[in-house]
Structures are given as structure tokens and as C-alpha cells.
Amino acid sequence: MSARWRLALLSAALTYVGPAASDVVHIKAARVLDVVSGDMLTNHVIRVVDDRVESISPAPQTRLENLLDLGDVTVLPGLIDAHVHLIGDADAQGYGNLAASVPRNTLFGVKNARETLAAGFTAVRNVGAGSFADVALRDAIDAGDVPGPRMRVSGPSVGITGGHCDNNLLPPEAGQFSEGVADGAAEIIKVLRRNKKYGTDLVKFCATGGVLSKGTAIGDQQYTDSEMKALVDESHRRGIKVAAHAHGTQGIIAAIKAGVDSVEHASLIDDEGIRLAVEYGTTLVMDIFVSDYILQGGEAAGFLPESLEKERMVGAAQRDGFRRAHAAGANIAFGTDAGVFPHGKNAQQFSYMVKYGMTELEAIQAATVKGAELLGMDGVGALSPGAYADLIAVKGDPLQDIRTLESPVFVMKGGEIYRSELDQ
Ligand SMILES: [Zn+2]
């Protein structure tokens, strides 16, 4: 049976339904990883009441009611991917993604959300979606209508006319502009307010050109310094965080100086950019796995030839930048750009983060503690009393073999089971 069908059956038949009076379940595991301290607790029980963790304690000798013994696994908090694109079809890139309607792309989002959750990611930050499809998906998940991770969403990405956050694929007579296109401070502020009006949580904007857009040079800074400042000031004035897409060296520096909360990709970050990121406390979200996917599977998925060419320029540099940024003590959160590659493969990035300098624990913290901080979401990213019962279990020990995270055998979100492949 394919994983997809197995999950569909699971969500139909095995969504956790607790006892009527009080929804209590005790989850027992050989190992529970405290991601904050790095301590591996052995033979512990997590008591879940309704959607929350009530306590984590050594397994008692006495018999527990509603015991779910997961056996020889490691339990850790649900993972967080701070850079995903759930809306749309990952297999239709470049001109291929012009054909799908907003409703069709949103329904791809339903499938993608389910696959992301099944892969152990219980919270995500969705950075860029047209027509507020991400707001709708977030709300449908929160209402329990469809399974998926908790979402923080940006709505339409903000960017200059003809920039990376515009759509440049069609000729002028088609008259196409992406919804978040804004030039000058006044237009930027208007777009930010419109996004907020329709329910977004954060702002995503394009500070430089990008790999996957037509006719943009990666190194080019797109907004001026003063436009970026106006964007960040208006967002922060209203308590909204800002994520800046930036590949080029100068655009990265300009975005950090403007006060953004995170720099996405940060491909050509230099030592000055790293120094500033540390000084300003800017989080870097460096998607160092996706490059291999684009270069190996990109042609079949429909990426433009110029995108493949640009990826060849930045992939290796980005990994080197990741190593240097981590060594310098920069704040790094786990983010993959899933949606450029098929959803559910997010955890394949962990081994890259370890290869390029992180310890296994640091890589896990990037996808838990650091992710929760960046999303500004309470009750996720660590298992402690009062936190959401968002947890996963993997065979083996992820501190010894980070790739165990690629195939979780158990996924719970808010006290409900979404995946269970345990030997019973
Ligand atoms: Zn992206």
C-alpha cells in the first residue's frame, strides 16, 4: 500500500478519539529527547490531556490508564519548517504552473499539508501564496476540516514590478502582475495593509532576484534601502514579522540593516552579512537541500533553463555560507523551500545541516526551538507541561543518526494521531 493511501485510511479510521469523560492518553517511549537541554530521557511517559502535554515523567511501576506504549523509539517535539510553499503543485514548475487555477492550487495545498504533517512537521511558515489561499488552508486546518500542520502565512509576497515576487512569464499584452507587487513606500504600505486585512500573519518580501523567476539576476538588490525600511517599519509597528527573500550579498545586508526578522536563502552571504546577522539577531533560513533536487530533478519538473543555470551558481556558495554563518554563531532556523521539491521530503535537509557544520542536536533545535521562536508560536517546538501535544517518534536515536528523522513512525498533533506505523 502506498504511503499516501495508508495515511488517508489512517486519518479516516484512526484519528485519535479519547475516552468520553476526559481525553487522557499516556505515551510511553524508550527515549524522549529534551530538545532544549539535549538530555535523552529514558523510559518516560508523556501524559497528554486533550490537546496538551500535562507532564513528562519516568514510567511508573503501576499500570496506567489509556497507555500507548510506543516501544523502542525516540520521541521528540513535532518538527517545524520555516520556509514552505504548500499552495500549488511541486511537479509543475516554470510555465507548467501557469495552467492551474487558484482553487486547483489550493486543493494541491490540502494534499501537501497532509503529506507535510505525515512527515512529522506539525508547524510551518508558508512564505508566499496568491489569493490568500494559504489563509484559507490555515483556517481549514485549525477548524479540523483537513489534516495539516499549524501554519503561519504571509499571503501574497511583496516585491517590485518585474522582480522575483512578480510573475514575468507572460508577454505584456497579458497584463499579468502578481498581487503583492508594490513600488515605493506608499504602494508597499497599501499592500501590507491589504494583506493584513485578509488574515495574514507575517510579511514575505523579495529583497533580491531569485533562482526560479524569469529575468531576475540573483545578485541584484530589488527594493531600495528606504523602501525596505518603510516595509519593515510599517510591519513592526503593527506587530508583524518580516521575512526577506535575499540571495545577493548587498540585498542581504540591506535587509538586515532594515531590521527584517529573517533572511531566506542568504545564498551569497559574505562575512559582513554574517557579522550583521549576529549583531542584529536576524535569523537565517538557509535551504541547503533544495539545490540538489533542482539540479537532479528540476528539468523534469519544468524549471526554466535559466533557473538551472542560476542554481548552479548559488548552490555550493550557499552551503559554504551556511557553514561560516553557523561557525560565527548566527541564529539559524530550519527551512527547506518545500514546494520547489515534493512535500514530505523536508527532513532530508537535516543531514545537509550536519554535513555543513551543525551537531545533530543543533540541527534538531533549528527545526524545533528556533523554528518556534521565528514563527512566534507558543506551545510548539519543545515538549513541556502546557505545550501542545505535537510530537513524533522515530526508530533509533536521531542524535546518533540524523536520518532517522526522515521516516517518523508516529505523528501526533494536538493530541490526535495522524501517523502510526508501530509494530504492535
Ligand atoms: Zn521559497
Side-chain angles (χ1 to χ4, degrees):
M1 196 185 291
S2 77
R4 182 174 304 171
W5 279 109
R6 193 165 53 227
L7 184 72
L9 289 173
L10 261 179
S11 51
L14 286 184
T15 297
Y16 176 71
V17 180
S22 59
D23 281 339
V24 176
V25 63
H26 296 96
I27 297 169
K28 185 178 168 191
R31 295 169 299 282
V32 177
L33 177 61
D34 180 333
V35 295
V36 178
S37 67
D39 292 342
M40 189 67 87
L41 312 171
T42 54
N43 200 29
H44 268 57
V45 167
I46 301 170
R47 180 178 163 88
V48 173
V49 179
D50 298 324
D51 63 343
R52 304 270 177 171
V53 172
E54 187 182 85
S55 62
I56 304 170
S57 48
Q61 296 300 320
T62 51
R63 200 179 150 274
L64 288 165
E65 294 294 310
N66 300 324
L67 178 66
L68 197 54
D69 189 346
L70 302 185
D72 184 22
V73 299
T74 302
V75 166
L76 63 159
L79 304 170
I80 300 170
D81 190 329
H83 190 123
V84 302
H85 301 278
L86 290 184
I87 306 300
D89 180 6
D91 294 325
Q93 304 285 351
Y95 280 90
N97 72 21
L98 283 178
S101 64
V102 170
R104 185 68 188 95
N105 277 329
T106 308
L107 290 167
F108 279 121
V110 171
K111 178 188 77 155
N112 296 337
R114 191 179 64 208
E115 290 176 352
T116 300
L117 179 58
F121 288 80
T122 54
V124 300
R125 199 177 54 147
N126 201 76
V127 280
S131 301
F132 303 94
D134 51 354
V135 172
L137 182 59
R138 176 200 65 195
D139 292 350
I141 290 168
D142 287 348
D145 298 340
V146 295
R150 302 177 197 282
M151 293 177 72
R152 285 279 190 257
V153 305
S154 72
S157 300
V158 184
I160 66 165
T161 297
H164 178 66
C165 285
D166 197 358
N167 187 332
N168 308 322
L169 293 170
L170 296 174
E173 58 268 31
Q176 184 168 26
F177 294 91
S178 293
E179 291 161 89
V181 166
D183 299 303
E187 282 187 23
I188 290 168
I189 289 170
K190 184 97 179 165
V191 164
L192 296 179
R193 291 174 181 174
R194 179 172 179 269
N195 280 1
K196 178 66 179 160
K197 171 178 174 174
Y198 293 116
T200 58
D201 304 303
L202 67 123
V203 169
K204 152 87 179 286
F205 84 94
C206 287
T208 74
V211 172
L212 303 182
S213 52
K214 187 172 178 221
T216 71
I218 290 171
D220 282 1
Q221 180 177 330
Q222 297 193 331
Y223 275 130
T224 64
D225 293 3
S226 65
E227 283 175 316
M228 286 193 211
K229 188 87 174 70
L231 185 152
V232 173
D233 287 352
E234 170 67 12
S235 302
H236 285 176
R237 191 179 66 74
R238 303 193 71 195
I240 299 166
K241 289 192 174 190
V242 178
H245 158 106
H247 289 283
T249 310
Q250 289 312 312
I252 292 167
I253 288 172
I256 294 171
K257 284 183 170 173
V260 302
D261 299 277
S262 65
V263 172
E264 313 297 306
H265 312 297
S267 305
L268 302 177
I269 194 166
D270 65 357
D271 289 342
E272 174 70 354
I274 290 170
R275 190 188 66 72
L276 287 167
V278 173
E279 183 187 326
Y280 281 71
T282 317
T283 301
L284 304 177
V285 181
M286 301 178 75
D287 50 340
I288 58 173
F289 159 66
V290 69
S291 184
D292 279 357
Y293 174 79
I294 292 174
L295 294 180
Q296 285 157 20
E299 215 167 333
F303 290 106
L304 305 170
E306 79 168 73
S307 296
L308 302 178
E309 191 52 45
K310 285 190 273 191
E311 190 56 58
R312 275 183 214 108
M313 283 165 51
V314 298
Q318 187 193 34
R319 290 168 185 182
D320 181 57
F322 178 92
R323 187 199 299 276
R324 285 182 289 111
H326 172 254
N331 211 19
I332 296 177
F334 180 99
T336 62
D337 222 358
V340 172
F341 62 88
H343 297 273
K345 295 179 186 293
N346 316 53
Q348 292 189 22
Q349 184 169 287
F350 282 110
S351 64
Y352 286 72
M353 294 168 85
V354 170
K355 182 176 176 188
Y356 290 94
M358 282 187 166
T359 65
E360 284 80 358
L361 179 64
E362 286 169 337
I364 292 169
Q365 287 171 332
T368 51
V369 184
K370 301 284 186 189
E373 278 172 18
L374 181 58
L375 268 61
M377 199 181 266
D378 291 333
V380 302
L383 292 173
S384 56
Y388 285 116
D390 292 2
L391 56 90
I392 66 171
V394 298
K395 298 256 185 201
D397 178 353
L399 296 183
Q400 301 297 320
D401 177 6
I402 197 72
R403 298 197 65 179
T404 57
L405 296 175
E406 294 174 17
S407 41
V409 292
F410 183 83
V411 176
M412 172 177 272
K413 184 193 133 204
E416 295 197 12
I417 297 168
Y418 290 93
R419 179 171 209 147
S420 183
E421 294 176 12
L422 301 156
D423 325 310
Q424 297 287 345

